[in-house]
Amino acid sequence: MTDLDTILAAGQAVAAVHGAVDQLINAALFYGPGVLALTATVAAFRACAWAADRYHQLAQDRADRRAYTARAFRLCRVADNTDAVMANPTDDLNRYLDNKLAATPDLANEGEER
């Protein structure tokens, strides 16, 4: 972006603000202060609603990041434990896995027990 582009963009921004102020003055003269006060109230309400939504979204994003970080930490712990288990000799590893399988409840039949 060159200096000329910056000057042109600034000129367009000034023209847009000038047009908005001109329309605001025309509306004030045509409709009166009551409609402008109502419009300002509605605009303030929408701005506050947007800010509240943004705050809730940021809070949710932070909670999601914390949950993701906690899950990643747990997965790293599982990987570390897996590396430690896999370092065992093959017979010990098979015995360990068989014991784990025997200690795990069969959740496939959970619906049939009710």
Side-chain angles (χ1 to χ4, degrees):
M1 183 178 231
T2 64
D3 292 336
L4 182 60
D5 291 335
T6 304
I7 292 171
L8 291 175
Q12 288 176 340
V14 168
V17 169
H18 181 270
V21 170
D22 187 40
Q23 288 180 354
L24 182 66
I25 291 170
N26 288 341
L29 293 174
F30 186 74
Y31 293 111
V35 172
L36 291 179
L38 177 64
T39 304
T41 303
V42 169
F45 175 78
R46 292 302 306 149
C48 290
W50 174 84
D53 288 345
R54 183 74 181 129
Y55 174 77
H56 289 136
Q57 183 63 43
L58 290 174
Q60 184 63 45
D61 289 347
R62 185 173 183 177
D64 290 345
R65 280 195 307 273
R66 284 185 179 187
Y68 176 79
T69 303
R71 183 173 184 270
F73 176 74
R74 287 193 306 272
L75 289 175
C76 286
R77 294 288 306 266
V78 167
D80 291 343
N81 290 339
T82 303
D83 290 341
V85 168
M86 294 298 287
N88 290 333
T90 306
D91 293 336
D92 292 342
L93 179 60
N94 286 337
R95 190 176 317 110
Y96 174 80
L97 293 175
D98 287 340
N99 290 338
K100 282 285 192 184
L101 180 61
T104 304
D106 185 11
L107 300 178
N109 294 327
E110 189 172 305
E112 298 173 8
E113 294 173 2
R114 294 182 187 163

